[in-house]
Amino acid sequence: MNTTKILAVKSIAIAAIFSLSACAGMNNQDKSAVAGAGIGAVGGAVLTGGSAIGTVGGAAVGGYLGNEVGKKKE
């Protein structure tokens, strides 16, 4: 593996670690929205063959659905 690829992999790993620590102060609804957006982005990318529009659309729909599911029932 060349130096550029190694640097890219390490940078992505560090960014993932820092992004996970950002979830510490979130409530249940926020966590559900983030999880839904992630799952929706992957689903949108798979269904559209990696299209950027499909990925963003899937993330938007997934985030909305995750937010609705995470709401507390009163």
Side-chain angles (χ1 to χ4, degrees):
M1 210 185 295
N2 64 20
T3 307
T4 306
K5 287 184 181 179
I6 292 172
L7 182 61
V9 169
K10 288 182 180 180
S11 298
I12 291 170
I14 291 170
I17 290 169
F18 282 125
S19 68
L20 290 175
S21 67
C23 295
M26 291 182 166
N27 62 25
N28 191 35
Q29 185 176 3
D30 293 340
K31 289 178 186 178
S32 295
V34 170
I39 293 168
V42 171
V46 168
L47 290 174
T48 61
S51 164
I53 294 173
T55 303
V56 172
V61 172
Y64 174 76
L65 292 175
N67 184 44
E68 292 300 311
V69 169
K71 286 184 179 178
K72 290 184 179 180
K73 305 289 187 217
E74 294 184 29

